[in-house]
Amino acid sequence: MRLPLTLALLPFSVQAINIISSNDDGWAEINIRQLYDSLTAAGHSVVISAPAENESGTGSNDGTPSVLTSPCEFNSCPTGSPAYGQNSTEPRFNYVNSYPVTAIKYGINTLASTFFDASTPDLAVAGPNVGSNLGLGVFFSGTVGAATYAANTAGIPAIAFSGATGSQTAWDVSSVPVYSTVYAELARKVTDQLIAAGTPYLPENVWLNVNFGKVSDSSCATADDFTFVLSRIHAAVPLITAEDVETCGSTRLPTETKVVGSDGCFASVSVGMAGDKLDADATVQGVVLEKLADLLTCL
């Protein structure tokens, strides 16, 4: 399949869907709030269900939520707050005092029926994570853990978003960092393109690992500066790893590490199997390639 050399415009109108949102950086971190704003502005119905505190590096751990013995991150809730809670003025912002998997599970099993017109979300998104989740890092990422739980256990198509630039930042910072706005817009582009391609949004038990390159005030400073490249999560082993989907004149996709580390403004899109967090085969990659073709370029 020949890919377009420029980023195609998304359809003017994309069907609004129900989206559950989580992360591992915490419910009050600015990236998840910026993504909420971007997806909501696009017409989607979004509910955040994320950890009360930074739970980075907790992978697919799951545990029983407990009463808080210290304040939520950035003092977003006081000591002694219940194990589950919500923002007093925006009930769609919810925390769970436990791991990312536990938080998104609560969102799917409990919050969805409260806020959505259906009992199950149409799509799960995680992130944008503060820092990249590349290669072997996917096994340890709580953001990835939340996304793969949704796809593997709950049967909901899922995307994990991560950005190379940034640091833990409160939702109420006086000036929103450029990277946070850019990553939210890029995540919305991928989400809307996937939705526009129609249901099923992804094959069964499949998740996307999307990593955005670095952003600064002078370089890669807008979402339009970025191009997306289909990639693989893990490096292929010569003579052992099966061929990838054929695209850009090759049957071997670049690793997401190579894409994000290349000169320019690139974002990698890898197709993974949620059960083991390994790369999907060429057939499944081909389904995603077809769905996202208008968004993808060659490296």
Side-chain angles (χ1 to χ4, degrees):
M1 177 181 294
R2 182 179 175 83
L3 292 179
L5 297 181
T6 57
L7 183 65
L9 292 176
L10 290 173
F12 178 76
S13 178
V14 175
Q15 177 187 4
I17 67 169
N18 299 320
I19 300 175
I20 193 72
S21 174
S22 195
N23 67 0
D24 69 7
D25 295 305
W27 80 308
E29 211 284 327
I30 196 166
N31 281 359
I32 196 171
R33 301 295 180 90
Q34 286 295 301
L35 180 56
Y36 175 90
D37 289 346
S38 184
L39 292 173
T40 301
H44 303 299
S45 177
V46 184
V47 171
I48 290 175
S49 185
E53 302 179 86
N54 181 5
E55 294 288 348
S56 296
T58 54
S60 292
N61 290 347
D62 190 7
T64 302
S66 59
V67 172
L68 280 104
T69 57
S70 61
C72 290
E73 65 175 353
F74 310 120
N75 290 312
S76 53
C77 71
T79 299
S81 294
Y84 306 88
Q86 61 185 202
N87 184 284
S88 60
T89 59
E90 179 43 85
R92 286 174 177 259
F93 296 168
N94 292 265
Y95 75 76
V96 177
N97 190 32
S98 189
Y99 300 112
V101 164
T102 313
I104 200 167
K105 181 166 65 174
Y106 176 71
I108 292 168
N109 294 339
T110 302
L111 298 175
S113 60
T114 299
F115 292 99
F116 298 150
D117 55 7
S119 59
T120 303
D122 300 306
L123 183 71
V125 297
N129 191 73
V130 178
S132 301
N133 279 312
L134 305 166
L136 294 177
V138 303
F139 294 120
F140 309 102
S141 166
T143 293
V144 170
T148 52
Y149 171 85
N152 182 48
T153 305
I156 299 169
I159 314 172
F161 296 108
S162 303
T165 298
S167 59
Q168 287 284 327
T169 303
W171 87 101
D172 60 350
V173 65
S174 59
S175 178
V176 177
V178 171
Y179 71 81
S180 189
T181 300
V182 171
Y183 291 158
E185 292 176 358
L186 289 171
R188 192 267 308 159
K189 281 189 176 185
V190 175
T191 301
D192 280 352
Q193 182 66 42
L194 196 65
I195 294 167
T199 55
Y201 299 128
L202 290 171
E204 185 177 355
N205 197 37
V206 167
W207 65 291
L208 300 184
N209 194 40
V210 180
N211 278 274
F212 308 125
K214 293 181 179 179
V215 169
S216 73
D217 292 337
S218 60
S219 176
C220 309
T222 73
D224 290 338
D225 292 334
F226 278 82
T227 53
F228 294 85
V229 176
L230 190 67
S231 57
R232 56 180 295 115
I233 301 170
H234 305 287
V237 180
L239 304 180
I240 295 178
T241 304
E243 292 182 341
D244 295 316
V245 63
E246 183 173 1
T247 184
C248 296
S250 175
T251 56
R252 178 62 69 216
L253 297 174
T255 63
E256 54 194 15
T257 301
K258 180 178 180 179
V259 172
V260 174
S262 296
D263 291 337
C265 307
F266 291 106
S268 62
V269 181
S270 299
V271 188
M273 300 306 298
D276 55 18
K277 302 178 186 177
L278 299 178
D279 288 281
D281 63 25
T283 299
V284 175
Q285 291 171 342
V287 173
V288 175
L289 174 61
E290 184 70 25
K291 286 179 171 289
L292 299 182
D294 290 343
L295 196 66
L296 297 169
T297 68
C298 299
L299 183 62

